[in-house]
Amino acid sequence: MLEIKDIHKSFNKNTVLDGVNIKIQKGDVVVLLGPSGSGKTTLLRCINFLEKADRGLITFNELTADFTNIKKKEISELRKKTGFVFQNYNLFNNKTALENVAIGLIHSRKVLPEKAYEQAKKALDKVGLEGKYDYYPSQLSGGQQQRVGIARAFVFNPDVILFDEPTSALDPELISEVLTIMKQLAKEGTTMLVVTHEMSFAREVANHVIFMDKGKIVEEGTPSDIFTNPREERTKQFLRRIINDFDYVI
């Protein structure tokens, strides 16, 4: 469904992505792991065209585009296929939860307001915010704000949702409510590409795990491959530092 070939991205002389290849099938839950600065977030942002890759190919179903000379029309078509959940919510503080979810439908998809608000309510219901339509971000907990962010991504019915460390800005007690929503979406067959440090989510929900370092894919495989039998020493070093249960790592 989605394939990235030989994607490169540098900022000035700093190489952030160095020939990354990823293939995602419909219904996959792919988790990207790696230390800060390994290129995980930049990869997501390039897929969603929040950043422009220097070179490489992107194929989404029947559409293939070259990052080097991609056209605005192609970017628009590819963006319609993805939803993006940001690390820090990125909600409009002067708009209600309902307005935050509906605004993209109204302005970018040209959906009539009445229909857009109807769809937005269904999306908020799906993430457990039935009674919070008229709440502003300042009236919501961090976990609730992130659930609004998930609803905003989900309301477009995208082919794949990109999650950029969706729980990293949350207090520990709020993390589980966001992960619960993500697990439910996965059970329903939502295709997801997730940057996270939540190892339990990666082990339980992902069907494919990718470990990145210094802009390259070091190792990839099933959760069992990565967590119980990693091949690369760099992968083992990383996991030992962030997992308390060393039984998962050889």
Side-chain angles (χ1 to χ4, degrees):
M1 184 183 74
L2 170 62
E3 186 171 7
I4 302 294
K5 290 185 178 180
D6 197 31
I7 187 171
H8 292 255
K9 176 65 179 177
S10 296
F11 294 100
N12 297 320
K13 294 183 179 181
N14 180 31
T15 299
V16 182
L17 296 175
D18 189 9
V20 173
N21 298 282
I22 289 181
K23 193 170 185 178
I24 300 173
Q25 301 293 343
K26 184 176 177 60
D28 280 351
V29 178
V30 178
V31 167
L32 294 173
L33 303 178
S36 297
S38 60
K40 308 181 302 295
T41 290
T42 300
L43 177 60
L44 292 193
R45 292 177 66 85
C46 286
I47 292 172
N48 194 243
F49 296 94
L50 295 169
E51 299 284 354
K52 186 179 182 297
D54 298 327
R55 68 179 191 270
L57 296 175
I58 180 170
T59 298
F60 219 135
N61 296 328
E62 73 287 349
L63 177 60
T64 296
D66 187 331
F67 283 110
T68 306
N69 54 15
I70 193 166
K71 299 175 177 60
K72 288 184 177 179
K73 184 178 180 181
E74 291 175 320
I75 291 175
S76 177
E77 288 301 311
L78 288 164
R79 273 184 173 161
K80 289 178 181 178
K81 299 177 183 297
T82 63
F84 201 104
V85 178
F86 295 89
Q87 181 175 336
N88 293 311
Y89 325 138
N90 278 26
L91 302 180
F92 293 104
N93 291 325
N94 63 338
K95 297 188 181 298
T96 65
L98 187 64
E99 290 169 333
N100 265 285
V101 177
I103 190 170
L105 291 172
I106 295 169
H107 291 285
S108 67
R109 298 292 175 87
K110 308 303 180 185
V111 177
L112 292 175
E114 182 179 353
K115 181 68 173 178
Y117 286 122
E118 179 183 331
Q119 291 177 227
K121 286 180 179 179
K122 290 180 180 178
L124 286 168
D125 291 350
K126 191 173 188 65
V127 298
L129 294 176
E130 299 89 344
K132 306 293 184 181
Y133 301 152
D134 297 326
Y135 281 53
Y136 289 89
S138 62
Q139 298 172 300
L140 299 171
S141 70
Q144 290 170 332
Q145 289 183 63
Q146 191 58 291
R147 283 190 276 159
V148 174
I150 294 172
R152 180 181 56 191
F154 187 80
V155 77
F156 290 104
N157 193 29
D159 291 321
V160 59
I161 300 181
L162 310 173
F163 291 83
D164 182 19
E165 298 194 38
T167 60
S168 65
L170 300 177
D171 293 333
E173 65 268 21
L174 299 177
I175 290 174
S176 63
E177 66 182 66
V178 173
L179 292 180
T180 296
I181 296 299
M182 293 173 65
K183 290 176 183 177
Q184 183 59 41
L185 291 175
K187 286 181 181 178
E188 294 172 0
T190 304
T191 308
M192 303 160 67
L193 179 58
V194 185
V195 173
T196 185
H197 290 296
E198 298 296 332
M199 297 299 105
S200 62
F201 177 86
R203 286 195 297 258
E204 296 169 19
V205 182
N207 66 298
H208 195 74
V209 177
I210 297 171
F211 173 64
M212 293 182 64
D213 191 29
K214 297 179 181 179
K216 295 178 177 287
I217 292 178
V218 176
E219 185 169 358
E220 60 183 305
T222 66
S224 178
D225 292 335
I226 300 301
F227 290 108
T228 66
N229 192 30
R231 301 184 306 275
E232 302 296 328
E233 184 58 34
R234 182 66 187 94
T235 311
K236 297 176 184 179
Q237 291 172 356
F238 174 78
L239 292 174
R240 288 190 187 109
R241 287 173 183 165
I242 61 174
I243 297 179
N244 293 323
D245 188 349
F246 290 98
D247 291 338
Y248 282 106
V249 186
I250 291 178

